[in-house]
Amino acid sequence: MKRGIMAVAAMALLAGTAFAQQAPAAAQSVPARVIQQDTTTVYDVSTTNKRGTTQYGMVEQTQTTPQGGTRIISQTAYEDYTPSKMALANQKKGEVSLGVGASYTAAKDSAGARLSDVGWAGTAQVMWDMTDHLALGVDYMLLAPHSRNNHRGNGSYKYSDLRYNGVGLAGKYTLNAWDAWRVYIPMGVGAAQVRMKSAGKRGGVATAQSDDKWGLDLFAGLGLQYNLTKDLFMGLEYRYTVAFVKSDDLNRYYGKNQYFQFHGAFLRMGMRF
């Protein structure tokens, strides 16, 4: 009996030892569970152009799935826009400006003498932006070339108070509407009054005449403008103007059958509203 109990105990000890030796091997054979891995990256991005500066935060999340695949998810965390000076200026559609400068006409009388010398000029303008590049409005222009004395033999002839007054529809086409320095083309059509006094001698007889006449006028030119602030600007402008009034309409003695043509250069100051 005692021997039987000892045999059973020995067999149980051997079985327990064998199970203990096999258990680590069994545990090692179970595969490890792969979990999803996420990586998050935040980028601060800033872009600047003529319209302003845009700053935004971009969140990029990379996900690796248990099957070994990868996908990227992006989203914008924040976005800020700061408009440039040009963008703020272009938000204002109206403008008013004044210009002062010099004027000249190459018109000559029938004897080949010039009617005037270089004088002064002025202009006033109100415009409204129809698009970023095109503005329309009204314009007034005054051209006042200086008086000139012309000598003919023993006598003389004087042309004085030559004046051009024009008012009409004006346009301005800006080539680069988003720059601080802007190049533009001014143009206009309207009505003009040209007036001139003259006095002298013809065939030994003293003559004097003062007359004016209205007619259609056209002008075009080239301008350079700089935006000092979003509200104020200044620049230079050249205009070539044709008034459909002839010098023989104003002087029947020495006038010529040609239309008046004027050149004007202006320093312009203006304000947006």
Side-chain angles (χ1 to χ4, degrees):
M1 184 68 179
K2 185 177 181 180
R3 289 182 178 179
I5 294 173
M6 293 179 64
V8 173
M11 291 178 64
L13 179 61
L14 290 173
T17 303
F19 179 79
Q21 291 176 350
Q22 293 176 359
Q28 292 176 359
S29 64
V30 177
R33 186 170 66 90
V34 179
I35 63 174
Q36 177 174 299
Q37 295 180 351
D38 295 344
T39 302
T40 301
T41 306
V42 179
Y43 299 96
D44 289 323
V45 183
S46 177
T47 59
T48 300
N49 55 30
K50 295 176 181 179
R51 296 174 184 259
T53 300
T54 302
Q55 293 179 318
Y56 57 93
M58 180 65 70
V59 178
E60 183 178 274
Q61 187 177 38
T62 303
Q63 294 182 343
T64 302
T65 64
Q67 292 75 24
T70 301
R71 63 175 181 171
I72 299 176
I73 301 174
S74 298
Q75 59 182 343
T76 301
Y78 68 88
E79 182 173 346
D80 295 319
Y81 169 67
T82 303
S84 66
K85 181 174 70 174
M86 296 306 96
L88 293 173
N90 286 345
Q91 289 177 4
K92 299 177 180 291
K93 298 302 181 182
E95 67 177 55
V96 58
S97 63
L98 298 173
V100 294
S103 64
Y104 173 75
T105 177
K108 297 181 179 180
D109 62 17
S110 60
R114 294 204 313 269
L115 298 181
S116 64
D117 289 324
V118 176
W120 61 278
T123 180
Q125 194 174 76
V126 178
M127 306 289 284
W128 185 262
D129 290 341
M130 310 303 294
T131 69
D132 288 341
H133 295 274
L134 179 64
L136 296 176
V138 293
D139 179 271
Y140 168 74
M141 181 166 48
L142 169 64
L143 306 177
H146 284 168
S147 302
R148 181 177 177 85
N149 290 312
N150 293 312
H151 298 280
R152 296 182 178 84
N154 295 327
S156 65
Y157 213 92
K158 181 180 181 180
Y159 302 101
S160 62
D161 296 334
L162 177 59
R163 296 290 184 270
Y164 161 96
N165 289 277
V167 61
L169 176 67
K172 181 171 74 172
Y173 184 80
T174 304
L175 302 179
N176 51 335
W178 290 93
D179 291 327
W181 288 97
R182 299 183 179 184
V183 179
Y184 65 92
I185 300 173
M187 64 200 81
V189 57
Q193 178 205 44
V194 182
R195 178 170 57 87
M196 185 176 68
K197 291 182 180 181
S198 55
K201 288 186 177 181
R202 184 185 186 194
V205 179
T207 63
Q209 186 175 357
S210 177
D211 208 347
D212 67 87
K213 186 174 181 179
W214 285 85
L216 181 71
D217 75 321
L218 301 170
F219 75 82
L222 186 66
L224 178 65
Q225 176 180 307
Y226 178 71
N227 288 315
L228 299 169
T229 68
K230 63 182 179 64
D231 300 316
L232 302 176
F233 63 87
M234 66 177 298
L236 298 173
E237 183 176 306
Y238 164 77
R239 292 183 181 184
Y240 172 72
T241 303
V242 177
F244 291 92
V245 175
K246 299 177 181 180
S247 61
D248 61 3
D249 293 328
L250 307 181
N251 185 290
R252 62 182 179 272
Y253 301 107
Y254 284 101
K256 200 171 183 180
N257 187 26
Q258 288 184 349
Y259 295 122
F260 279 99
Q261 302 174 45
F262 297 93
H263 303 272
F266 304 91
L267 173 65
R268 184 178 292 279
M269 294 289 296
M271 179 180 67
R272 298 180 180 275
F273 59 90

